Amino acid sequence: MKISREQVAWVAHLARLEFKEDETKKFTAQMNDILSYMDKLSLVDTNGVEPLANATLRKNAFRADDVRDSLSPDASLANAPEARGGFFQVPKVIE
Amino acid sequence: MELHQLTIHELSEKLRSKETSSEEITASTFGRIDAVEKDVHAYITLMKETAFAEAKRADEAIKKGECGVLTGIPIALKDIVCTKGTLTTCGSRMLSNFIPPYDAAVIEKLRAAGAVFTGKTNMDEFAMGSSTETSFYGTSRNPWDLERIPGGSSGGSAAAVAADECIASIGSDTGGSIRQPAALCGVVGLKPTYGRVSRFGLIAFASSLDQIGPFTKDVEDAAIMMNVLAGYDNRDSTSSIEEVPDYRQFIGKGIEGWAVGIPREFFVGGLDPEVEKAVRQAVKTVEEAGARCVEVSLPHTEYSLAVYYIVAPAEASSNLARYDGVKYGFRAPESRDLLDMYKKTRSAGFGTEVKRRIMLGTYALSSGYYDAYYKKASQVRSLIKRDFDEAFTMCDAIITPTTPTPAFRIGEKTGDPMQMYLSDLFTISTNMAGIPGISVPCGYSASGLPIGVQFLAAHFQEGRLLQIASAYEKQANIEKRRPNL
């Protein structure tokens, strides 16, 4: 077993997801299958190999620090599930 | 031939010579959509009204002699690129009400080129899948056999071109999502070098792998589309400043004296005999066109799937953290507090495959597992890229099958995620290395399903890619069939 049902529940919390009992069970089995397949990577000798995070050949990308147009407050809020007084509205954060 | 069946370059000629108008082409295309869309389900959203307005504008431009090669041509867009004022769902319930306030860079470019947008095409949810079966909006069907999947994730874009529901389309490719559906639907699909096309306004899946590219009816059209799509954009920090050539100059150039690499690791068990036969024939065709085929080795190929299913979910888990029900998109009703709202929104807004990948990625990046998974995978990714760099010192291009099998049946692989993942076996390493690849039709199975051959080239060698693809297309002269819809 690579990952237990309790660990799956913990990872779900980290990812802000929740699952029913039977879903957790199914995910645990599937994640174990997939993670076992990943084991083959341990066969590769990667001593001293630099990780490749990105295939771009550029080192860094700077642009001029110029003021540019951005979205208006109305356009920014147009897709909000709930908005009030020019702000995004969310359920209460503290008890 | 009806107008909607023609290629961009054929229609462009007719527009220039005033033999037809964009309005006629657009009407023909929407007539075709009316006739076959109920069977194919290539689209999530149609843009009929704006399309005819764009066609009218294109016709006026043509009258004034201000037309480019894409002016007035109906193009379909994968529903992963933001279109200002038009619903953009990414195949997800999470974005079922999202109207982008801006255009993606490729949309700006296509608009400036005078294209007519037919609509937004169906796709696997957040581009996670190989069949469109994870779409919240239902499965698209393969025009060649409606019981089969069109491939994915850009399945709607591939099916729309194959069914003549548009002249060309836009897709995105993270592990094969352009080339795999192109092969399964019998059209041309090109994934450019990472950084060649701006990702600004492309809804992010795995940012170090995602790349936008075209689906077309022939190789020349792919070059035409690349001429419009490619180029530097300072809103995408990974966008390349490498000069963009005129890709059309590579069409019809020939490949005499080229060395073409055949990677031995791609002709292994699991390869369908009919696919193998068709691709071996393609190798012969390339030799007939004057190239010399050499065996090359990409020894880390067998690890590419494992690397991909760590790197892509890890990046996805981070990218998809933004869907929290606050600023846009779906929000679940009736939550106790903010945390409860996040969890209810994400659990109801995402489908199973997306949740599975978020879980895998969150786990791979979580404390104590990062070194074993993400770091290890990124190191092996280095080795995969090195394999390609070495192979390209010995050859000008590489030839491989695009997919292990022709299109599979709807429902055939949904129960087993690993089986579904294996359908991207031959396309994934390209994204790992960041190099360009193209899938070109190379024949049909006995039951009449299309098969694709894949060509790969070194970074920023899209010109070479188009050169060999067009030389192959010409030499092979594959019988032009149309799906029976």
Side-chain angles (χ1 to χ4, degrees), chain B residues 171-212:
Chain B
S172 66
D173 190 316
T174 304
S177 285
I178 291 175
R179 292 158 290 152
Q180 184 255 22
L184 302 190
C185 288
V187 300
V188 173
L190 190 155
K191 180 204 95 77
T193 308
Y194 183 78
R196 182 70 297 178
V197 176
S198 171
R199 291 183 296 113
F200 176 77
L202 170 73
I203 296 176
F205 161 15
S207 304
S208 80
L209 306 167
D210 299 342
Q211 190 61 196
I212 295 173

Side-chain angles (χ1 to χ4, degrees), chain B residues 344-385:
Chain B
K344 283 205 168 92
T345 294
R346 291 167 61 78
S347 299
F350 292 134
T352 306
E353 180 61 25
V354 171
K355 285 190 253 190
R356 184 156 41 236
R357 299 214 197 174
I358 290 174
M359 290 288 290
L360 271 174
T362 306
Y363 176 71
L365 291 176
S366 66
S367 173
Y369 297 96
Y370 174 84
D371 279 2
Y373 290 105
Y374 193 75
K375 189 179 169 205
K376 181 78 182 179
S378 302
Q379 287 175 309
V380 180
R381 187 178 173 186
S382 265
L383 298 174
I384 292 170
K385 178 171 180 287

Side-chain angles (χ1 to χ4, degrees), chain B residues 189-329:
Chain B
L190 190 155
K191 180 204 95 77
T193 308
Y194 183 78
R196 182 70 297 178
V197 176
S198 171
R199 291 183 296 113
F200 176 77
L202 170 73
I203 296 176
F205 161 15
S207 304
S208 80
L209 306 167
D210 299 342
Q211 190 61 196
I212 295 173
F215 287 95
T216 55
K217 295 180 186 181
D218 68 8
V219 176
E220 182 166 2
D221 275 7
I224 290 170
M225 291 288 281
M226 282 304 293
N227 274 351
V228 172
L229 299 174
Y232 175 67
D233 177 10
N234 70 4
R235 297 166 300 181
D236 169 2
S237 63
T238 59
S239 173
S240 172
I241 51 174
E242 189 89 9
E243 206 182 316
V244 181
D246 172 9
Y247 291 112
R248 238 177 141 173
Q249 69 177 292
F250 297 96
I251 302 300
K253 253 187 161 177
I255 51 168
E256 292 83 7
W258 278 37
V260 176
I262 304 173
R264 71 171 78 100
E265 293 81 2
F266 281 64
F267 292 85
V268 289
L271 184 57
D272 177 275
E274 287 190 292
V275 173
E276 174 157 12
K277 195 175 150 214
V279 176
R280 295 271 182 208
Q281 183 56 44
V283 169
K284 278 197 200 120
T285 306
V286 164
E287 284 174 332
E288 282 159 22
R292 176 172 51 86
C293 286
V294 293
E295 189 174 87
V296 294
S297 178
L298 300 166
H300 295 91
T301 299
E302 66 167 304
Y303 304 107
S304 56
L305 203 64
V307 172
Y308 180 82
Y309 280 98
I310 293 169
V311 171
E315 295 184 9
S317 73
S318 167
N319 274 325
L320 272 59
R322 74 190 67 180
Y323 302 107
D324 57 5
V326 175
K327 298 183 211 64
Y328 50 82

Side-chain angles (χ1 to χ4, degrees), chain A residues 21-76:
Chain A
E21 194 52 38
D22 58 327
E23 284 179 309
T24 308
K25 203 174 146 190
K26 198 167 136 194
F27 262 64
T28 307
Q30 287 177 340
M31 284 179 73
N32 272 305
D33 274 358
I34 297 166
L35 292 170
S36 302
Y37 180 81
M38 309 303 183
D39 272 350
K40 67 191 317 180
L41 292 183
S42 63
L43 303 173
V44 187
D45 179 7
T46 50
N47 254 327
V49 177
E50 276 294 308
L52 179 70
N54 191 315
T56 172
L57 308 179
R58 293 187 77 183
K59 281 276 179 260
N60 209 341
F62 294 107
R63 60 171 171 78
D65 185 17
D66 295 331
V67 177
R68 296 190 290 190
D69 286 342
S70 54
L71 287 183
S72 68
D74 282 351
S76 302

